[in-house]
């Protein structure tokens, strides 16, 4: 069975992944054409035109291999995987702390990470990702969005791009499996992350 499961509509892919969590394998993906209650950090909503962008969640299962104090590694896996994908398209992106991917002064991707703790360990994680792929117009109250299509001037196949993005995230996950890889993840992350003043 494919690691990427496509569904037409859900409240949010993070909620969908949580409901299915026990039945999903490590590195499974739930990708939706439309979310009715997509959300970001805190009480922020995520605006995405149905069928235009990549709205999905990645399930990671760590068992007892990740201390809660090292949870930043999950952010490294997600953000660097997305950045790798964009770089392959000729798009230079940076990570706005803690959960956005920006190109210059515009937001191209948002991330929401929800962890399950078991004692001092992170047992599992659901990484919700919204990447602006084909959408070109947003409501006026969305301050600074941009999409891959805006930047490159073409339309993209969502299923093909989802596989490409997934492969980049999976490659970053493989780095997490070794101590040397974990160190490199954090070093690279430190070079591309910034905070607004």
């Amino acid at each position: 069975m494919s690691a990427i499961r496509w569904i037409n509509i859900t409240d949010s892919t993070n909620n969908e992944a949580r409901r299915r969590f026990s039945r999903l394998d490590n590195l499974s993906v739930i990708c939706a054409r439309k979310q009715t209650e997509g959300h970001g950090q805190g009480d922020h909503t995520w605006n995405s035109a149905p069928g235009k962008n990549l709205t999905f969640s990645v399930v990671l299962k760590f068992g007892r291999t990740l201390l809660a104090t090292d949870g930043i590694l999950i952010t490294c896996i997600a953000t660097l995987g997305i950045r790798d994908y964009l770089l392959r398209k000729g798009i230079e992106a940076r990570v706005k702390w803690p959960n956005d991917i920006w190109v210059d002064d515009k937001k191209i991707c948002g991330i929401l990470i929800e962890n399950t703790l078991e004692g001092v360990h992170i047992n599992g994680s659901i990484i919700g990702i919204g990447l602006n792929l084909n959408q070109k117009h947003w409501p006026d109250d969305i301050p600074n969005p941009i999409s891959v299509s805006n930047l490159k001037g073409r339309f993209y196949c969502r299923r093909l791009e989802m596989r490409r993005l997934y492969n980049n995230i999976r490659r970053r996950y493989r780095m997490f499996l070794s101590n040397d890889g974990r160190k490199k993840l954090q070093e690279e992350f430190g070079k591309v992350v910034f905070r607004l003043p």
Side-chain angles (χ1 to χ4, degrees), residues 115-196:
N115 297 322
T116 302
L117 298 177
E118 186 175 309
V120 298
H121 294 91
I122 296 176
N123 182 51
S125 183
I126 297 172
I127 306 170
I129 297 171
L131 174 72
N132 295 333
L133 186 65
N134 289 316
Q135 189 167 346
K136 292 190 174 181
H137 304 285
W138 285 265
D140 292 339
D141 59 348
I142 306 293
N144 62 335
I146 199 164
S147 70
V148 178
S149 186
N150 283 143
L151 292 165
K152 306 307 289 185
R154 54 163 291 190
F155 178 86
Y156 293 89
C157 170
R158 290 171 61 245
R159 288 180 180 260
L160 176 59
E161 298 307 317
M162 183 67 249
R163 287 196 299 271
R164 289 173 171 166
L165 178 50
Y166 174 75
N167 286 337
N168 282 283
I169 293 171
R170 189 173 59 180
R171 186 177 69 84
R172 290 296 184 170
Y173 174 81
R174 286 197 296 268
M175 293 178 66
F176 159 82
L177 299 177
S178 72
N179 288 333
D180 186 54
R182 291 183 179 200
K183 181 180 177 182
K184 288 178 180 177
L185 282 171
Q186 294 190 77
E187 287 174 350
E188 285 190 58
F189 180 78
K191 293 176 182 177
V192 298
V193 70
F194 74 98
R195 296 172 186 262
L196 289 179

Coordinates of all heavy atoms in Angstrom, one line a residue, residues 115-196:
N115 N 2.6 16.6 19.0 CA 3.4 15.4 19.5 C 2.6 14.7 20.6 O 1.8 15.3 21.3 CB 4.7 15.9 20.1 CG 5.6 16.5 19.1 OD1 5.7 16.0 17.9 ND2 6.4 17.5 19.4
T116 N 2.8 13.4 20.7 CA 2.3 12.6 21.8 C 3.4 12.2 22.7 O 4.4 11.6 22.2 CB 1.6 11.3 21.2 OG1 0.6 11.7 20.3 CG2 1.0 10.5 22.3
L117 N 3.3 12.5 23.9 CA 4.4 12.2 24.9 C 4.1 10.9 25.7 O 3.0 10.6 26.0 CB 4.6 13.3 25.9 CG 5.0 14.7 25.3 CD1 5.0 15.8 26.4 CD2 6.3 14.6 24.6
E118 N 5.2 10.2 26.0 CA 5.1 9.0 26.8 C 6.3 9.2 27.8 O 7.5 8.8 27.5 CB 5.3 7.7 26.0 CG 5.1 6.5 26.8 CD 5.1 5.2 26.0 OE1 4.3 5.2 25.0 OE2 5.8 4.3 26.3
G119 N 6.0 9.7 29.0 CA 7.1 10.0 29.9 C 8.0 11.1 29.4 O 7.5 12.1 29.0
V120 N 9.3 10.8 29.3 CA 10.2 11.8 28.8 C 10.5 11.7 27.3 O 11.3 12.4 26.8 CB 11.6 11.7 29.6 CG1 11.4 12.0 31.1 CG2 12.2 10.3 29.3
H121 N 9.7 10.8 26.6 CA 10.0 10.6 25.2 C 8.8 11.1 24.4 O 7.6 11.2 24.9 CB 10.1 9.1 24.9 CG 11.4 8.5 25.5 ND1 11.4 7.9 26.8 CD2 12.6 8.4 25.0 CE1 12.6 7.5 27.0 NE2 13.4 7.8 26.0
I122 N 9.1 11.5 23.1 CA 8.0 11.7 22.2 C 7.7 10.4 21.5 O 8.6 9.9 20.8 CB 8.4 12.8 21.1 CG1 8.6 14.1 21.8 CG2 7.3 12.9 20.1 CD1 9.2 15.2 20.9
N123 N 6.5 9.9 21.7 CA 6.2 8.6 21.2 C 5.8 8.7 19.7 O 6.1 7.8 18.9 CB 5.0 8.0 22.0 CG 4.6 6.6 21.5 OD1 5.4 5.7 21.3 ND2 3.3 6.4 21.2
G124 N 5.1 9.7 19.4 CA 4.7 9.9 18.0 C 4.4 11.4 17.7 O 4.3 12.2 18.6
S125 N 4.4 11.7 16.4 CA 4.2 13.1 16.0 C 3.4 13.1 14.7 O 3.5 12.2 13.8 CB 5.6 13.7 15.7 OG 5.5 15.1 15.4
I126 N 2.5 14.1 14.6 CA 1.8 14.4 13.4 C 2.2 15.8 12.9 O 2.1 16.8 13.6 CB 0.3 14.4 13.7 CG1 -0.2 12.9 14.1 CG2 -0.5 14.8 12.4 CD1 -1.6 12.9 14.6
I127 N 2.8 15.8 11.7 CA 3.3 17.1 11.2 C 2.3 17.5 10.1 O 2.2 16.9 9.0 CB 4.7 16.9 10.5 CG1 5.6 16.3 11.6 CG2 5.2 18.2 10.0 CD1 7.0 15.8 10.9
G128 N 1.5 18.5 10.4 CA 0.6 19.1 9.4 C 1.3 20.1 8.5 O 2.0 21.0 9.1
I129 N 1.2 20.0 7.2 CA 1.8 20.9 6.3 C 0.9 21.4 5.3 O 0.1 20.7 4.7 CB 3.0 20.2 5.6 CG1 4.1 19.7 6.6 CG2 3.6 21.0 4.5 CD1 5.1 18.8 6.1
G130 N 0.9 22.7 5.1 CA 0.1 23.4 4.0 C 1.1 24.1 3.1 O 1.7 25.1 3.5
L131 N 1.3 23.6 1.9 CA 2.2 24.2 0.9 C 1.4 24.8 -0.2 O 0.7 24.1 -0.9 CB 3.2 23.2 0.4 CG 4.1 23.7 -0.7 CD1 5.2 24.7 -0.2 CD2 4.8 22.6 -1.5
N132 N 1.6 26.1 -0.4 CA 1.0 26.8 -1.5 C 1.6 26.4 -2.8 O 2.7 26.8 -3.1 CB 1.1 28.3 -1.3 CG 0.3 28.8 -0.1 OD1 -0.6 28.2 0.3 ND2 0.8 29.9 0.5
L133 N 0.9 25.6 -3.6 CA 1.4 25.0 -4.8 C 0.9 25.8 -6.1 O 1.6 26.4 -6.8 CB 1.1 23.5 -4.9 CG 1.7 22.8 -6.1 CD1 3.2 22.8 -6.0 CD2 1.2 21.4 -6.2
N134 N -0.5 25.7 -6.3 CA -1.1 26.2 -7.5 C -1.9 27.4 -7.3 O -2.4 28.1 -8.3 CB -1.9 25.2 -8.2 CG -1.0 24.1 -8.9 OD1 0.0 24.4 -9.5 ND2 -1.3 22.8 -8.7
Q135 N -2.3 27.8 -6.0 CA -3.2 28.9 -5.8 C -2.5 30.2 -6.1 O -1.3 30.4 -5.9 CB -3.6 28.9 -4.3 CG -4.7 29.9 -4.0 CD -5.3 29.6 -2.6 OE1 -5.1 28.6 -2.0 NE2 -6.0 30.6 -2.1
K136 N -3.3 31.1 -6.8 CA -2.7 32.4 -7.2 C -3.4 33.6 -6.5 O -2.9 34.7 -6.6 CB -2.7 32.5 -8.7 CG -1.8 31.5 -9.4 CD -1.6 31.9 -10.9 CE -0.6 31.0 -11.5 NZ -0.4 31.3 -12.9
H137 N -4.6 33.4 -5.9 CA -5.3 34.5 -5.3 C -5.8 34.1 -4.0 O -6.2 32.9 -3.8 CB -6.5 34.9 -6.2 CG -6.0 35.2 -7.6 ND1 -5.4 36.4 -8.0 CD2 -6.1 34.5 -8.8 CE1 -5.1 36.4 -9.3 NE2 -5.6 35.3 -9.8
W138 N -5.7 35.0 -3.0 CA -6.1 34.7 -1.6 C -7.1 35.9 -1.2 O -7.1 36.9 -1.7 CB -4.9 34.7 -0.7 CG -4.1 33.4 -0.8 CD1 -4.2 32.3 0.0 CD2 -3.0 33.2 -1.7 NE1 -3.3 31.4 -0.4 CE2 -2.5 31.9 -1.5 CE3 -2.5 33.9 -2.8 CZ2 -1.5 31.3 -2.2 CZ3 -1.4 33.3 -3.5 CH2 -1.0 32.1 -3.2
P139 N -7.8 35.6 -0.1 CA -8.6 36.7 0.5 C -7.7 37.8 0.9 O -6.5 37.7 1.2 CB -9.2 36.0 1.7 CG -9.2 34.5 1.4 CD -8.0 34.3 0.6
D140 N -8.3 39.0 1.0 CA -7.5 40.2 1.3 C -6.9 40.2 2.7 O -5.9 40.9 2.9 CB -8.4 41.5 1.1 CG -8.8 41.7 -0.4 OD1 -8.1 41.2 -1.2 OD2 -9.8 42.4 -0.6
D141 N -7.5 39.5 3.6 CA -7.0 39.5 4.9 C -5.9 38.5 5.2 O -5.4 38.4 6.3 CB -8.2 39.2 6.0 CG -8.8 37.8 5.7 OD1 -8.6 37.2 4.7 OD2 -9.6 37.4 6.6
I142 N -5.4 37.8 4.1 CA -4.2 37.0 4.2 C -3.1 37.9 3.8 O -3.0 38.3 2.7 CB -4.3 35.8 3.3 CG1 -5.6 35.0 3.5 CG2 -3.1 34.9 3.4 CD1 -5.7 34.3 4.8
P143 N -2.1 38.2 4.8 CA -1.2 39.3 4.5 C -0.1 39.1 3.5 O 0.2 40.0 2.8 CB -0.6 39.5 5.9 CG -0.8 38.2 6.6 CD -2.0 37.6 6.1
N144 N 0.5 37.9 3.4 CA 1.7 37.8 2.6 C 1.9 36.5 1.9 O 3.0 35.9 2.0 CB 2.9 38.2 3.5 CG 3.1 37.2 4.6 OD1 2.2 36.5 5.0 ND2 4.4 37.0 5.0
P145 N 0.9 35.9 1.3 CA 1.0 34.6 0.7 C 1.7 34.6 -0.6 O 1.7 35.6 -1.4 CB -0.4 34.1 0.6 CG -1.2 35.3 0.3 CD -0.5 36.4 1.1
I146 N 2.3 33.5 -1.0 CA 2.9 33.3 -2.3 C 2.9 31.8 -2.6 O 2.9 31.0 -1.6 CB 4.3 33.9 -2.5 CG1 4.6 34.0 -4.0 CG2 5.3 33.0 -1.7 CD1 5.8 34.9 -4.2
S147 N 2.8 31.4 -3.8 CA 2.8 29.9 -4.2 C 4.0 29.6 -5.1 O 4.6 30.5 -5.7 CB 1.5 29.6 -4.8 OG 1.4 30.1 -6.1
V148 N 4.2 28.3 -5.3 CA 5.2 27.8 -6.2 C 4.8 28.3 -7.6 O 5.6 28.7 -8.4 CB 5.3 26.3 -6.2 CG1 6.3 25.8 -7.2 CG2 5.7 25.8 -4.8
S149 N 3.5 28.2 -7.9 CA 3.0 28.6 -9.2 C 3.2 30.1 -9.5 O 3.6 30.5 -10.6 CB 1.5 28.3 -9.4 OG 1.0 28.5 -10.7
N150 N 3.0 30.9 -8.4 CA 3.3 32.4 -8.5 C 4.7 32.6 -9.0 O 5.0 33.4 -9.8 CB 3.0 33.1 -7.2 CG 1.6 33.3 -6.9 OD1 1.2 33.2 -5.7 ND2 0.8 33.7 -7.8
L151 N 5.6 31.8 -8.3 CA 7.0 32.1 -8.5 C 7.5 31.5 -9.8 O 8.4 32.1 -10.5 CB 7.8 31.4 -7.4 CG 7.6 32.1 -6.0 CD1 8.1 31.2 -4.9 CD2 8.3 33.5 -6.0
K152 N 7.0 30.4 -10.3 CA 7.5 29.7 -11.4 C 6.7 29.8 -12.7 O 7.1 29.4 -13.8 CB 7.7 28.2 -11.1 CG 8.6 27.9 -9.9 CD 9.9 28.7 -9.9 CE 10.9 28.1 -10.9 NZ 12.2 28.7 -10.8
G153 N 5.4 30.4 -12.5 CA 4.6 30.6 -13.7 C 4.1 29.4 -14.4 O 3.9 29.4 -15.6
R154 N 3.8 28.3 -13.6 CA 3.2 27.1 -14.3 C 2.3 26.4 -13.3 O 2.3 26.7 -12.1 CB 4.3 26.2 -14.8 CG 5.4 25.8 -13.7 CD 6.1 24.6 -14.1 NE 5.3 23.4 -14.2 CZ 5.8 22.1 -14.3 NH1 7.1 21.9 -14.4 NH2 5.0 21.1 -14.3
F155 N 1.5 25.5 -13.8 CA 0.6 24.6 -13.0 C 1.3 23.3 -12.7 O 2.0 22.7 -13.6 CB -0.7 24.4 -13.8 CG -1.6 23.5 -13.1 CD1 -2.5 24.1 -12.1 CD2 -1.7 22.2 -13.3 CE1 -3.4 23.3 -11.5 CE2 -2.6 21.4 -12.7 CZ -3.5 21.9 -11.7
Y156 N 1.1 22.8 -11.5 CA 1.8 21.5 -11.1 C 0.7 20.4 -10.8 O -0.3 20.7 -10.2 CB 2.6 21.8 -9.9 CG 3.8 22.7 -10.1 CD1 3.7 24.0 -10.0 CD2 5.0 22.1 -10.5 CE1 4.8 24.9 -10.3 CE2 6.1 22.9 -10.8 CZ 6.0 24.3 -10.6 OH 7.1 25.1 -10.9
C157 N 1.1 19.2 -11.1 CA 0.3 18.0 -10.7 C 0.5 17.8 -9.2 O 1.6 17.5 -8.8 CB 0.7 16.8 -11.5 SG 0.0 15.3 -11.0
R158 N -0.6 17.8 -8.4 CA -0.5 17.7 -7.0 C 0.0 16.3 -6.6 O 0.8 16.2 -5.7 CB -1.9 17.9 -6.4 CG -2.3 19.4 -6.4 CD -3.8 19.6 -6.0 NE -4.0 19.1 -4.6 CZ -4.7 18.1 -4.2 NH1 -5.4 17.4 -5.1 NH2 -4.9 17.8 -3.0
R159 N -0.4 15.3 -7.2 CA 0.0 13.9 -6.9 C 1.5 13.7 -7.1 O 2.2 13.2 -6.3 CB -0.8 12.9 -7.6 CG -2.2 12.8 -7.0 CD -3.1 11.7 -7.7 NE -4.4 11.7 -7.1 CZ -4.8 10.8 -6.2 NH1 -4.0 9.9 -5.8 NH2 -6.0 10.8 -5.8
L160 N 2.0 14.2 -8.2 CA 3.4 14.1 -8.5 C 4.3 14.9 -7.6 O 5.3 14.5 -7.0 CB 3.7 14.6 -10.0 CG 5.1 14.6 -10.4 CD1 5.8 13.2 -10.3 CD2 5.2 15.1 -11.9
E161 N 3.8 16.2 -7.3 CA 4.6 17.0 -6.4 C 4.5 16.5 -5.0 O 5.5 16.7 -4.2 CB 4.1 18.5 -6.5 CG 4.2 19.1 -7.9 CD 5.6 19.0 -8.4 OE1 6.6 19.3 -7.6 OE2 5.8 18.7 -9.6
M162 N 3.4 15.9 -4.6 CA 3.3 15.3 -3.3 C 4.4 14.2 -3.1 O 5.1 14.1 -2.1 CB 1.9 14.7 -3.0 CG 1.7 14.2 -1.6 SD 1.7 15.4 -0.3 CE 3.2 14.9 0.5
R163 N 4.5 13.4 -4.1 CA 5.5 12.3 -4.0 C 7.0 12.9 -3.9 O 7.8 12.4 -3.2 CB 5.5 11.4 -5.3 CG 4.2 10.5 -5.2 CD 4.4 9.3 -6.2 NE 4.5 9.8 -7.6 CZ 3.5 10.0 -8.4 NH1 2.2 9.8 -8.0 NH2 3.7 10.4 -9.7
R164 N 7.2 13.9 -4.7 CA 8.5 14.6 -4.7 C 8.8 15.2 -3.3 O 9.9 15.0 -2.8 CB 8.6 15.6 -5.8 CG 8.7 15.0 -7.2 CD 8.6 16.1 -8.2 NE 8.9 15.5 -9.6 CZ 8.6 16.2 -10.7 NH1 8.1 17.4 -10.7 NH2 8.9 15.6 -11.8
L165 N 7.8 15.9 -2.8 CA 8.0 16.5 -1.5 C 8.2 15.4 -0.4 O 9.0 15.6 0.5 CB 6.8 17.4 -1.1 CG 6.8 18.1 0.2 CD1 8.1 18.8 0.5 CD2 5.6 19.1 0.3
Y166 N 7.4 14.4 -0.5 CA 7.5 13.3 0.5 C 8.9 12.7 0.5 O 9.4 12.4 1.5 CB 6.4 12.2 0.2 CG 6.5 11.0 1.0 CD1 6.1 11.0 2.4 CD2 7.0 9.8 0.5 CE1 6.2 9.8 3.1 CE2 7.1 8.7 1.2 CZ 6.7 8.7 2.6 OH 6.8 7.6 3.3
N167 N 9.4 12.5 -0.7 CA 10.8 11.9 -0.8 C 11.8 12.7 -0.1 O 12.8 12.2 0.5 CB 11.1 11.6 -2.2 CG 10.4 10.4 -2.8 OD1 9.9 9.6 -2.1 ND2 10.2 10.4 -4.1
N168 N 11.7 14.1 -0.2 CA 12.6 15.0 0.5 C 12.5 14.9 2.0 O 13.5 14.9 2.7 CB 12.4 16.4 0.0 CG 13.0 16.6 -1.4 OD1 14.3 16.8 -1.5 ND2 12.2 16.6 -2.4
I169 N 11.2 14.8 2.5 CA 11.0 14.7 3.9 C 11.5 13.4 4.4 O 12.2 13.3 5.5 CB 9.5 14.9 4.3 CG1 9.1 16.3 4.0 CG2 9.2 14.5 5.7 CD1 7.6 16.6 4.0
R170 N 11.3 12.3 3.7 CA 11.8 11.0 4.0 C 13.3 10.9 4.1 O 13.9 10.3 5.0 CB 11.2 9.9 3.1 CG 11.5 8.5 3.5 CD 10.8 7.5 2.6 NE 11.2 7.7 1.2 CZ 10.7 7.0 0.2 NH1 9.8 6.1 0.4 NH2 11.2 7.1 -1.0
R171 N 14.0 11.6 3.2 CA 15.4 11.6 3.2 C 15.9 12.3 4.5 O 16.9 11.9 5.1 CB 15.9 12.4 2.0 CG 17.5 12.3 1.8 CD 17.9 13.0 0.5 NE 17.7 14.5 0.6 CZ 18.5 15.3 1.1 NH1 19.6 14.9 1.7 NH2 18.3 16.6 1.1
R172 N 15.3 13.4 4.8 CA 15.7 14.1 6.1 C 15.4 13.2 7.3 O 16.1 13.3 8.3 CB 14.9 15.4 6.2 CG 15.4 16.5 5.2 CD 16.9 16.8 5.4 NE 17.4 17.9 4.6 CZ 18.5 18.5 4.7 NH1 19.3 18.2 5.7 NH2 18.9 19.5 3.9
Y173 N 14.3 12.5 7.3 CA 14.0 11.6 8.4 C 15.1 10.5 8.5 O 15.5 10.2 9.6 CB 12.7 10.9 8.2 CG 12.4 9.8 9.2 CD1 11.9 10.1 10.5 CD2 12.6 8.5 8.9 CE1 11.6 9.2 11.4 CE2 12.4 7.5 9.9 CZ 11.9 7.8 11.1 OH 11.6 6.9 12.1
R174 N 15.6 10.0 7.4 CA 16.7 9.0 7.5 C 18.0 9.6 8.2 O 18.7 8.9 8.9 CB 17.1 8.5 6.1 CG 16.0 7.6 5.5 CD 16.6 6.8 4.3 NE 16.9 7.6 3.2 CZ 16.1 7.9 2.2 NH1 14.9 7.4 2.2 NH2 16.5 8.6 1.2
M175 N 18.2 10.9 8.0 CA 19.3 11.5 8.7 C 19.1 11.5 10.2 O 20.1 11.3 11.0 CB 19.5 13.0 8.3 CG 19.9 13.2 6.8 SD 20.0 14.9 6.4 CE 21.4 15.5 7.4
F176 N 17.9 11.6 10.7 CA 17.5 11.6 12.1 C 17.9 10.3 12.7 O 18.2 10.2 13.9 CB 16.0 11.8 12.2 CG 15.4 11.3 13.5 CD1 15.5 12.1 14.7 CD2 14.8 10.1 13.6 CE1 15.0 11.6 15.8 CE2 14.3 9.6 14.8 CZ 14.4 10.4 15.9
L177 N 18.1 9.2 12.0 CA 18.3 7.9 12.5 C 19.8 7.7 13.0 O 20.0 6.7 13.7 CB 18.0 6.8 11.5 CG 16.5 6.8 11.0 CD1 16.3 5.7 9.9 CD2 15.6 6.6 12.2
S178 N 20.7 8.6 12.7 CA 22.0 8.5 13.3 C 22.4 9.7 14.0 O 21.9 10.8 13.8 CB 23.0 8.3 12.1 OG 23.2 9.5 11.4
N179 N 23.3 9.6 15.0 CA 23.8 10.7 15.8 C 24.4 11.8 14.9 O 24.2 13.0 15.1 CB 24.7 10.3 16.9 CG 24.1 9.5 18.0 OD1 22.9 9.6 18.2 ND2 24.8 8.6 18.6
D180 N 25.2 11.4 13.9 CA 25.8 12.3 13.0 C 24.8 13.0 12.2 O 24.9 14.3 12.0 CB 26.8 11.6 12.1 CG 27.6 12.5 11.3 OD1 28.2 13.5 11.8 OD2 27.6 12.4 10.0
G181 N 23.8 12.3 11.8 CA 22.7 12.9 11.0 C 21.9 13.9 11.8 O 21.6 15.0 11.3
R182 N 21.7 13.6 13.1 CA 20.9 14.5 13.9 C 21.7 15.8 14.1 O 21.1 16.9 14.1 CB 20.7 13.9 15.3 CG 19.7 12.8 15.3 CD 19.4 12.2 16.7 NE 18.4 11.1 16.6 CZ 17.7 10.7 17.7 NH1 17.9 11.3 18.8 NH2 16.9 9.8 17.6
K183 N 23.0 15.7 14.3 CA 23.9 16.9 14.4 C 23.8 17.7 13.1 O 23.7 19.0 13.2 CB 25.3 16.5 14.7 CG 26.3 17.6 14.9 CD 27.7 17.1 15.2 CE 28.6 18.3 15.3 NZ 30.0 17.8 15.5
K184 N 23.9 17.1 12.0 CA 23.8 17.8 10.7 C 22.5 18.5 10.5 O 22.4 19.6 10.0 CB 24.1 16.9 9.6 CG 25.6 16.5 9.5 CD 25.8 15.5 8.3 CE 27.3 15.1 8.3 NZ 27.6 14.1 7.2
L185 N 21.4 17.9 10.9 CA 20.1 18.5 10.8 C 20.0 19.8 11.5 O 19.6 20.8 11.0 CB 19.0 17.5 11.3 CG 18.6 16.3 10.4 CD1 17.7 15.4 11.2 CD2 17.9 16.8 9.2
Q186 N 20.5 19.7 12.8 CA 20.4 20.9 13.6 C 21.4 22.0 13.1 O 21.0 23.2 13.2 CB 20.7 20.6 15.1 CG 19.6 19.7 15.7 CD 19.8 19.5 17.1 OE1 19.4 20.4 17.9 NE2 20.3 18.3 17.6
E187 N 22.5 21.6 12.6 CA 23.4 22.6 12.0 C 22.8 23.3 10.8 O 22.9 24.6 10.7 CB 24.8 22.0 11.7 CG 25.6 21.6 12.9 CD 26.9 20.8 12.5 OE1 27.0 20.4 11.3 OE2 27.7 20.6 13.3
E188 N 22.2 22.5 9.9 CA 21.6 23.1 8.7 C 20.5 24.0 9.1 O 20.3 25.1 8.5 CB 21.2 22.0 7.8 CG 22.3 21.4 7.0 CD 21.8 20.5 5.9 OE1 21.0 21.0 5.0 OE2 22.1 19.3 5.9
F189 N 19.6 23.5 10.0 CA 18.5 24.3 10.4 C 18.9 25.7 11.0 O 18.3 26.7 10.7 CB 17.7 23.5 11.5 CG 16.5 24.2 12.0 CD1 15.3 24.2 11.3 CD2 16.5 24.8 13.3 CE1 14.2 24.9 11.8 CE2 15.4 25.5 13.8 CZ 14.2 25.5 13.0
G190 N 20.0 25.6 11.8 CA 20.5 26.9 12.4 C 20.9 27.9 11.3 O 20.9 29.1 11.6
K191 N 21.3 27.5 10.2 CA 21.8 28.4 9.1 C 20.6 29.0 8.4 O 20.8 30.1 7.7 CB 22.7 27.6 8.1 CG 24.0 27.2 8.8 CD 24.8 26.4 7.8 CE 26.1 25.9 8.4 NZ 26.9 25.0 7.4
V192 N 19.4 28.4 8.4 CA 18.3 28.9 7.5 C 17.2 29.5 8.3 O 16.2 30.0 7.8 CB 17.8 27.9 6.5 CG1 18.9 27.4 5.6 CG2 17.3 26.6 7.3
V193 N 17.2 29.3 9.7 CA 16.1 29.8 10.5 C 16.3 31.3 10.8 O 17.4 31.7 11.0 CB 15.9 28.9 11.7 CG1 17.1 29.2 12.7 CG2 14.6 29.2 12.4
F194 N 15.2 32.0 10.9 CA 15.2 33.4 11.4 C 14.0 33.7 12.2 O 13.0 33.0 12.1 CB 15.3 34.4 10.2 CG 14.1 34.5 9.4 CD1 13.2 35.6 9.6 CD2 13.7 33.6 8.4 CE1 12.0 35.8 8.9 CE2 12.5 33.7 7.7 CZ 11.7 34.8 7.9
R195 N 14.1 34.7 13.0 CA 13.0 35.2 13.8 C 12.7 36.7 13.4 O 13.6 37.4 13.1 CB 13.3 35.2 15.3 CG 13.6 33.8 15.9 CD 14.1 33.9 17.3 NE 14.5 32.6 17.8 CZ 13.7 31.8 18.6 NH1 12.5 32.3 19.0 NH2 14.2 30.7 19.1
L196 N 11.4 37.0 13.4 CA 11.0 38.4 13.2 C 11.4 39.2 14.4 O 11.3 38.7 15.5 CB 9.5 38.5 12.9 CG 9.1 37.9 11.5 CD1 7.5 38.1 11.4 CD2 9.8 38.6 10.4

